[in-house]
Amino acid sequence: MSPAVPTFRSEFLRLFADRGHYYGCSDPEGLDDLFAKERVTAYIGFDCTAPSFHIGNLVQLMTLRRLQQCGHRPILLMGGGTTKIGDPSGKDEVRQLLTPEKIEANKNSILHDIRHLLKFGEGRSDAMMVDNAEWLDRLEYVPFLRDVGRHLSVNRMLTMDSVKLRLEREQPLSFLEFNYMVLQAYDFVELFKRYDCRVQSGGSDQWGNIVGGVDLGRRMNTLDLFGLTTPLITTSSGAKMGKTVDGAVWLNANMCTPYEYWQYWRNAEDGDVGRFLRIFTDLPQSEIARLEKLKGSELNEAKKTLATEATALLHGRTAASEAAETARKTFEEGVLSEGLPTVEIARSKLAAGISVASLAHAAGLTSSSSEARRQIEGGGLRVNGKVIDDVKATVREADLQEGAVLKLSIGRKKHALVKVV
């Protein structure tokens, strides 16, 4: 259960709480006073472990967006330095170490993905992208131990979940990983020195790391820093936010198309619609209150609104409208829409026949051919509207519809086109 939400005076924290972002704070009254009297610089850190963020990161990105909407300055801290170490939180084994080139490529890809969510620039409330490699890569080991390490308690570090759970399970924890929380805490101190950054936000599972930075700032420079956390989002049924049978829902359009992204939100559970509209869209509270009161088939309109508004924030209004129209044509008119995810195959490959299972995997409907075969065994996979009941079934040129395409479907809401060229 989430802790009780205080009553706030400042515009940002009122909005933050009203939209369902608030979970906890190191000093609620002090932070409320700070936001009420001045423009605040705050940051959230992200490591560059993949070429894209996923929906699990979206709560934090929306926190930065709310900061900007209220006239404060958000810092997107990219972990070009800490990614070289690897966050042990929530992991049972050492993360794979990435090359500097891969880390840089991931960082650039991530920044391209979120260009619609935040406004970057030189203005007073424009977002900043900062890479912690700027200072971590230049640290000298002995001076760092002397100036910073003496303020850190190993006793306390051993109580952190990221360390404690590994030790309790008798799983290896490298000295490299053990230092991750030290560098993360130091980031906060460095951001204060460089940008007068007073607030770090993150998910509630990052509470220990966040207060570590607050405490280090107090011990090193008697700084008055603040930690602010958001809840870990789960669906009404208890499932982890952003996970599907096919894996993570990515924010990169090449890894998850705007149409697939739209469909993810369209398929939200009934009990999540109002909450997701508050957290993941900019719709006014009055409109959200109206939409979440809808019942039965009318609730589908609220889900479509959620899908379109959430997709517009990430991919732009044009892409969101196109995704909504593709869905309308596909499900309401029953026609093949060019906006569906599409994979191309050579006509010559059809001569001997192509396995339906491998085609479903190639089209992105399943994560593997074996999963596609399981869908066939369960009667869940269709080609051109016809249920496939043979795991060895193939398609040939005679199966093509007008326009030299095949339509593959799993269930009522997951579709793809195969186009022959």
Side-chain angles (χ1 to χ4, degrees), residues 96-115:
Q96 179 183 357
L97 295 181
L98 304 180
T99 64
E101 293 77 18
K102 181 60 176 176
I103 292 171
E104 184 68 17
N106 286 346
K107 181 180 75 173
N108 292 333
S109 177
I110 287 168
L111 292 175
H112 179 268
D113 296 343
I114 62 171
R115 64 193 184 281

Side-chain angles (χ1 to χ4, degrees), residues 155-389:
N155 303 69
R156 181 181 178 278
M157 292 167 69
L158 290 172
T159 67
M160 301 283 284
D161 284 344
S162 59
V163 174
K164 183 180 177 182
L165 293 177
R166 286 272 194 96
L167 297 179
E168 288 177 348
R169 296 169 182 169
E170 297 185 354
Q171 295 166 334
L173 178 74
S174 69
F175 180 70
L176 183 73
E177 294 175 289
F178 190 65
N179 277 274
Y180 183 90
M181 68 184 79
V182 176
L183 300 182
Q184 188 177 28
Y186 181 70
D187 281 342
F188 202 169
V189 175
E190 191 68 27
L191 286 169
F192 174 83
K193 289 193 294 186
R194 292 174 178 236
Y195 306 107
D196 192 30
C197 181
R198 302 283 302 279
V199 181
Q200 180 186 2
S201 186
S204 57
D205 59 334
Q206 289 293 312
W207 176 251
N209 289 330
I210 291 172
V211 296
V214 172
D215 186 60
L216 182 62
R218 179 180 59 81
R219 291 175 180 272
M220 285 185 66
N221 304 103
T222 64
L223 303 179
D224 195 11
L225 305 179
F226 300 89
L228 179 66
T229 58
T230 59
L232 298 181
I233 305 298
T234 58
T235 65
S236 294
S237 61
K240 189 174 182 179
M241 176 73 181
K243 292 290 185 180
T244 70
V245 292
D246 297 321
V249 179
W250 300 100
L251 305 191
N252 184 301
N254 294 322
M255 299 171 71
C256 177
T257 68
Y259 173 79
E260 292 167 330
Y261 190 77
W262 190 95
Q263 279 295 326
Y264 173 80
W265 295 106
R266 168 63 180 83
N267 294 336
E269 297 176 24
D270 292 358
D272 292 328
V273 174
R275 183 165 56 111
F276 286 178
L277 281 167
R278 288 187 179 86
I279 296 174
F280 300 111
T281 80
D282 286 340
L283 280 182
Q285 292 276 41
S286 57
E287 177 62 7
I288 294 172
R290 183 189 71 81
L291 289 169
E292 67 181 342
K293 290 178 182 177
L294 299 177
K295 303 294 182 182
S297 60
E298 290 185 342
L299 187 58
N300 288 329
E301 294 307 311
K303 293 183 179 182
K304 292 175 185 177
T305 299
L306 167 64
T308 300
E309 293 302 316
T311 304
L313 282 186
L314 179 63
H315 295 296
R317 182 62 61 181
T318 298
S321 298
E322 290 174 351
E325 181 61 12
T326 295
R328 187 190 69 79
K329 288 182 177 179
T330 302
F331 306 126
E332 295 178 12
E333 298 180 8
V335 300
L336 294 176
S337 174
E338 301 250 342
L340 288 174
T342 302
V343 62
E344 295 183 346
I345 61 170
R347 188 178 293 272
S348 59
K349 291 186 176 181
L350 284 177
I354 299 178
S355 160
V356 172
S358 62
L359 204 56
H361 173 45
L365 287 181
T366 62
S367 59
S368 64
S369 295
S370 59
E371 184 193 337
R373 287 190 287 271
R374 289 194 294 272
Q375 288 286 349
I376 292 172
E377 290 172 344
L381 200 155
R382 300 189 305 278
V383 175
N384 298 332
K386 179 181 177 182
V387 175
I388 304 300
D389 54 13

